[in-house]
C-alpha cells in the first residue's frame, strides 16, 4: 500500500451538494474509498453530504455502505467503515435562511483546512448555491468549488452560470469537471505526444491525412431520459468530452504542465475550429436517433420509449466533419462521432497518416497508410499499423500489420477511475485537468454554429435501430457497418466534388 498521505500539505473538508444523488454514489464516494485505501486521504479529512431528503447521518451511512457495495468489487469492510466514519449528512435547503441551516457550525475553527464544495446538482442552481455559501460566510481563501458538467444548455446559459459563480469565487478557485480529462488513457495522450520524438515530427497537415475520434456507447439513456432529452449527443458528449480529446490531440506543445499554459494551448484549438455554415451543416453533419432494436439478449426499447414520450427531436447519435484552421492542421479533416445504443462500447482516436508519395512495388496498386489507433476504453491499447513483407520468395508481397501495446499486458495495477485523480487535484489545487471559463465559452460558441444551422436548415434525425452501428447505413446506402459509417461524411464529400 502506497503512502501518499504526506503529499497533501493540509487536510480537507469536502462538501457535496447532491450528496445522496446518483453521481455521488456511483463516482464520488467510490473514488474517496479508493483514495483512502491507497492512504492518499486519511480519517483526518472530512466529508459533508448535503441533500434535501430528511434522514440522520446514521441512516445515511447505512445507505452509503449499501451503495459502496454495489459499486466496488471486493469491498474492504475496514476501509468502508473508515470512510463512513468521516461522513456527516445534513439536510439542507438553499431557499432557507442561515439560522435554519446548520452548516456553519460544522466549519467552526476549520479556516486553515482546504474546503472544497462539490456541486453534484443541476447546473441551473450553481449560482444560487454559490450565493448561499457566501451568505453563510463559508467561502474563504482555502475554498474551491467543483462544477459538474454540463454547464448550461447553450452559450448564453453557460455564460450566465459562469458569471453568477464568478461573483463569489475567483477563477483560480473554480474547477469545471470534464471527467474524460481524469481518465488515465486520456492523460497518456500528453505523454504519447510530448514524451516521444517520433510522433511529434509527423504530427501535422503534411503527414496526416485525417483524424477520427469516436466514442461509442452500448447503453441507451437509461433512467436519465428527462435530463438527456434536453441535451442530446451534441451537448452531452461533443461539447465537452470529444472536444477535450480533440484539444489534447491537436494542441501545440505547452511550455510546461502549468494549468494555464496547457489551457492556453487548448483554447487556441477551440478558437481555430471552423464554424459550420448553412452550406456545410447538411454535408458535414449527421444526426440520428435510435429506434427499437434487438440483440441476442433480447429486445431493446426505442429512445422515445426510453424517455416515455411520443415525440422528440433530440439526437442520440452525431457525426461531424470539421477542420482546425491553423498552420499545423490546415486542410486536415477531423471526424467526431458519438452515439448511444451502438453494438459495443468503445472510445478511440485514429490518426490516419498520408499514403506514401510513390509506390515502387508492382504487386499491389495501393499501399495501406500508416495508422495510429489510440484505444481509450474499454481496453487501453495503442496500435501502429505498418506495411510488412510477407515472408517467402517471389517478389514483394506485403500486408498491413500492427505493432500493439496493450496496457493490461504491461501494467497490472488497477486503473484509477477519473474521479479519483480529479478529486485529488481539487484538494491539491491543481487546475490543469479542469476547464477554464474561456475554454467552455469557446466550445459553446462552436457548438452554437451547429445548433443554429441544424435548426434553420431543419436537419432531420436519421433513425437507426438500437444495437446497430448507427445511421451510416441509411446515409450511405451501400455501406452497412458502423466502422465504415465512420467515413460517411468523407464519402459524401467525394461524391459532391
Ligand atoms: C457523461 C454523459 O458525461 O459521460 C453520459 O453525460 C455518458 O451520457 C458518459 O454516458 C460517458 O462516460 P464514460 O466514462 O462511460 O465514457
Amino acid at each position: 500500500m502506497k503512502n501518499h498521505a504526506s503529499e497533501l500539505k493540509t487536510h480537507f473538508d469536502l462538501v457535496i451538494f447532491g450528496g445522496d444523488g446518483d453521481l455521488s454514489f456511483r463516482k464520488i464516494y467510490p473514488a474517496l474509498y479508493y483514495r483512502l485505501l491507497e492512504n492518499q486521504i486519511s480519517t483526518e479529512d472530512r466529508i459533508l453530504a448535503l441533500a434535501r431528503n430528511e434522514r440522520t447521518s446514521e441512516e445515511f451511512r447505512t445507505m452509503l455502505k449499501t451503495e459502496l457495495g454495489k459499486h466496488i468489487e471486493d469491498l474492504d469492510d475496514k476501509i468502508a467503515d473508515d470512510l463512513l466514519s468521516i461522513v456527516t449528512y445534513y439536510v439542507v435547503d438553499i431557499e432557507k435562511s442561515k439560522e435554519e441551516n446548520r452548516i456553519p457550525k460544522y466549519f467552526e475553527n476549520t479556516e486553515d483546512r482546504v474546503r472544497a464544495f462539490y456541486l453534484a446538482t443541476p447546473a441551473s442552481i450553481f449560482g444560487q448555491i454559490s450565493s448561499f455559501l457566501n451568505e453563510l460566510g463559508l467561502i474563504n481563501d482555502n475554498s474551491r468549488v467543483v462544477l459538474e458538467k454540463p454547464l448550461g444548455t447553450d452559450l448564453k446559459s453557460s455564460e450566465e452560470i459562469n458569471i453568477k459563480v464568478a461573483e463569489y469565487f475567483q477563477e483560480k478557485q473554480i474547477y469545471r469537471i470534464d471527467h474524460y480529462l481524469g481518465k488515465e488513457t486520456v492523460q497518456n495522450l500528453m505523454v504519447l505526444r510530448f514524451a516521444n520524438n517520433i510522433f511529434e515530427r509527423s504530427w501535422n497537415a503534411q503527414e496526416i491525412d485525417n483524424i477520427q475520434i469516436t466514442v461509442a456507447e452500448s447503453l441507451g439513456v437509461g433512467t436519465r431520459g428527462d435530463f438527456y432529452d434536453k441535451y442530446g449527443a451534441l451537448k452531452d458528449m461533443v461539447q465537452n468530452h470529444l472536444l477535450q480529446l480533440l484539444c489534447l490531440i491537436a494542441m501545440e506543445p505547452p511550455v510546461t504542465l502549468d494549468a494555464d499554459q496547457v489551457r492556453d494551448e487548448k483554447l487556441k484549438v477551440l478558437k481555430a475550429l471552423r464554424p459550420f455554415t448553412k452550406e456545410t451543416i447538411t454535408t458535414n453533419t449527421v444526426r440520428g436517433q435510435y429506434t427499437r432494436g434487438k440483440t441476442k439478449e433480447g429486445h431493446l426499447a426505442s429512445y422515445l420509449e426510453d424517455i416515455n414520450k411520443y415525440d422528440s427531436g433530440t439526437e442520440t447519435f452525431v457525426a461531424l466533419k470539421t477542420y482546425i484552421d491553423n498552420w499545423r492542421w490546415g486542410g486536415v479533416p477531423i471526424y467526431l462521432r458519438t452515439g448511444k445504443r451502438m453494438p459495443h462500447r468503445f472510445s478511440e482516436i485514429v490518426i490516419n497518416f498520408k499514403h506514401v508519395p510513390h509506390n515502387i512495388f508492382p504487386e499491389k496498386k495501393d499501399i495501406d497508410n500508416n495508422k495510429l489507433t489510440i484505444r481509450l476504453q474499454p481496453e487501453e491499447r495503442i496500435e501502429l499499423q505498418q506495411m510488412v513483407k510477407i515472408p517467402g520468395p517471389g517478389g514483394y508481397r506485403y500486408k498491413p500489420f500492427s505493432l500493439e501495446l496493450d496496457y493490461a499486458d504491461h501494467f497490472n495495477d488497477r486503473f484509477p477511475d477519473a474521479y479519483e485523480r480529479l478529486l485529488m487535484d481539487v484538494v491539491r489545487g491543481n487546475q490543469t485537468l479542469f476547464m477554464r471559463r474561456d475554454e467552455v465559452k469557446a466550445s459553446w460558441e462552436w457548438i452554437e454554429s451547429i445548433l443554429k444551422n441544424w435548426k434553420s436548415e431543419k436537419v432531420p434525425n436519421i433513425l437507426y435501430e438500437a444495437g446497430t452501428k448507427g445511421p451510416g447505413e441509411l446515409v450511405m446506402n451501400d455501406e452497412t457497418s458502423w466502422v465504415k459509417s465512420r467515413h460517411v461524411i468523407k464519402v459524401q464529400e467525394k461524391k459532391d466534388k
Side-chain angles (χ1 to χ4, degrees):
M1 205 184 269
K2 292 175 208 131
N3 187 359
H4 298 284
S6 55
E7 282 176 22
L8 300 177
K9 290 198 183 63
T10 174
H11 293 296
F12 67 86
D13 293 334
L14 177 67
V15 184
I16 311 172
F17 282 83
D20 64 354
D22 177 61
L23 178 82
S24 304
F25 287 136
R26 264 187 316 111
K27 295 291 182 185
I28 304 178
Y29 300 115
L32 292 164
Y33 165 92
Y34 281 116
R35 291 303 90 209
L36 196 59
L37 178 75
E38 300 249 336
N39 275 335
Q40 207 172 18
I41 63 179
S42 78
T43 45
E44 300 280 302
D45 299 309
R46 300 190 305 168
I47 298 155
L48 178 60
L50 301 176
R52 297 175 65 148
N53 297 312
E54 285 290 343
R55 58 171 82 83
T56 63
S57 279
E58 215 33 63
E59 284 164 349
F60 180 72
R61 287 188 203 113
T62 310
M63 179 177 179
L64 179 55
K65 182 105 184 236
T66 314
E67 291 289 335
L68 287 174
K70 286 189 205 158
H71 301 288
I72 296 169
E73 265 178 50
D74 305 327
L75 187 75
D76 179 322
D77 255 355
K78 157 90 177 65
I79 304 294
D81 289 342
D82 281 351
L83 181 65
L84 298 183
S85 74
I86 58 171
V87 174
T88 306
Y89 178 90
Y90 281 174
V91 180
V92 90
D93 188 342
I94 55 172
E95 311 280 347
K96 290 196 176 147
S97 69
K98 194 170 166 174
E99 289 67 35
E100 289 168 282
N101 282 295
R102 305 184 266 170
I103 315 175
K105 263 199 149 348
Y106 183 87
F107 291 106
E108 264 168 23
N109 306 320
T110 59
E111 291 292 315
D112 55 340
R113 294 166 73 93
V114 167
R115 195 176 279 179
F117 301 107
Y118 197 119
L119 312 194
T121 64
S124 50
I125 59 168
F126 287 174
Q128 214 183 336
I129 296 179
S130 306
S131 137
F132 170 79
L133 290 170
N134 179 56
E135 203 178 308
L136 261 49
L138 295 181
I139 305 175
N140 64 14
D141 284 351
N142 285 328
S143 301
R144 285 141 211 195
V145 66
V146 185
L147 309 181
E148 254 301 331
K149 73 153 268 271
L151 216 58
T153 51
D154 54 16
L155 177 61
K156 185 164 169 284
S157 55
S158 127
E159 269 297 280
E160 279 166 6
I161 294 164
N162 277 325
I163 290 170
K164 195 84 192 135
V165 174
E167 282 179 31
Y168 308 102
F169 291 96
Q170 297 167 40
E171 184 61 29
K172 65 174 193 233
Q173 297 178 295
I174 304 176
Y175 292 72
R176 296 180 191 82
I177 283 216
D178 180 318
H179 79 276
Y180 267 55
L181 293 179
K183 287 180 191 271
E184 281 292 329
T185 41
V186 174
Q187 288 162 44
N188 188 42
L189 293 176
M190 295 274 280
V191 177
L192 183 79
R193 285 196 58 198
F194 305 127
N196 290 293
N197 216 6
I198 51 168
F199 296 122
E200 196 50 31
R201 280 163 204 260
S202 43
W203 213 255
N204 52 46
Q206 286 69 50
E207 307 297 333
I208 290 176
D209 187 71
N210 65 75
I211 297 177
Q212 316 212 357
I213 302 182
T214 306
V215 178
E217 297 186 274
S218 52
L219 294 177
V221 293
T223 52
R224 298 162 70 226
D226 279 350
F227 159 85
Y228 191 89
D229 203 44
K230 293 194 198 87
Y231 289 84
L234 185 71
K235 297 178 186 178
D236 185 44
M237 297 295 287
V238 181
Q239 186 270 332
N240 32 74
H241 306 326
L242 275 86
L243 285 187
Q244 285 296 320
L245 293 178
L246 178 58
C247 284
L248 294 179
I249 285 292
M251 72 184 185
E252 293 302 315
V255 178
T256 68
L257 281 181
D258 168 81
D260 276 335
Q261 299 218 20
V262 173
R263 299 187 299 177
D264 284 348
E265 297 307 336
K266 290 201 295 172
L267 179 65
K268 287 184 206 159
V269 174
L270 294 167
K271 293 216 164 199
L273 276 174
R274 189 183 296 177
F276 286 86
T277 61
K278 95 181 171 11
E279 285 72 36
T280 57
I281 201 76
T282 44
T283 53
N284 290 8
T285 72
V286 176
R287 58 201 299 257
Q289 190 187 81
Y290 64 83
T291 57
R292 281 184 187 173
K294 29 176 209 280
T295 61
K296 275 187 235 133
E297 285 80 47
H299 290 274
L300 296 170
S302 69
Y303 174 68
L304 294 181
E305 286 166 326
D306 278 348
I307 62 167
N308 204 11
K309 278 193 184 167
Y310 291 114
D311 191 22
S312 166
T314 302
E315 77 289 345
T316 58
F317 173 98
V318 60
L320 308 170
K321 176 188 183 183
T322 187
Y323 293 89
I324 299 170
D325 288 328
N326 65 14
W327 270 58
R328 188 190 278 264
W329 296 115
V332 177
I334 316 273
Y335 301 94
L336 304 177
R337 300 182 188 84
T338 183
K340 294 217 183 271
R341 279 283 184 241
M342 303 280 113
H344 307 287
R345 171 176 183 251
F346 76 90
S347 302
E348 70 177 25
I349 299 169
V350 178
I351 313 289
N352 275 310
F353 289 90
K354 289 196 163 150
H355 287 266
V356 292
H358 168 66
N359 183 1
I360 63 165
F361 302 105
E363 277 77 5
K364 216 172 171 189
K365 212 165 118 259
D366 290 316
I367 301 183
D368 295 24
N369 61 306
N370 294 126
K371 182 160 97 170
L372 179 68
T373 304
I374 307 161
R375 180 62 83 108
L376 305 173
Q377 56 190 30
E379 70 280 10
E380 295 79 24
R381 192 171 57 225
I382 297 177
E383 279 177 34
L384 181 61
Q385 173 179 288
Q386 51 182 301
M387 298 301 286
V388 294
K389 181 179 177 300
I390 301 169
Y396 282 93
R397 286 177 305 121
Y398 47 87
K399 66 171 190 177
F401 210 80
S402 282
L403 275 179
E404 288 180 9
L405 166 67
D406 228 310
Y407 270 60
D409 293 344
H410 300 275
F411 303 100
N412 299 325
D413 288 356
R414 180 187 69 87
F415 266 39
D417 185 75
Y419 280 84
E420 296 177 45
R421 168 75 198 256
L422 295 174
L423 277 171
M424 286 300 97
D425 279 357
V426 172
V427 172
R428 289 195 194 97
N430 181 357
Q431 287 184 305
T432 310
L433 299 179
F434 296 83
M435 289 180 295
R436 206 169 55 192
R437 178 168 166 183
D438 47 8
E439 272 183 86
V440 177
K441 182 162 185 248
S443 63
W444 272 118
E445 275 164 357
W446 183 73
I447 292 287
E448 291 263 314
S449 76
I450 304 172
L451 292 171
K452 194 179 78 196
N453 286 298
W454 270 357
K455 196 165 168 201
S456 70
E457 300 312 299
K458 301 190 174 55
V459 177
N461 271 328
I462 299 170
L463 300 178
Y464 61 98
E465 276 181 36
T468 66
K469 296 171 176 176
E473 52 210 60
L474 296 170
V475 181
M476 295 167 66
N477 305 324
D478 53 338
E479 306 275 19
T480 49
S481 84
W482 156 248
V483 178
K484 284 182 183 160
S485 84
R486 295 175 194 182
H487 302 282
V488 53
I489 302 165
K490 198 171 174 188
V491 170
Q492 213 163 331
E493 187 196 55
K494 276 191 184 152
K495 282 189 201 141
D496 292 345
K497 275 188 187 159

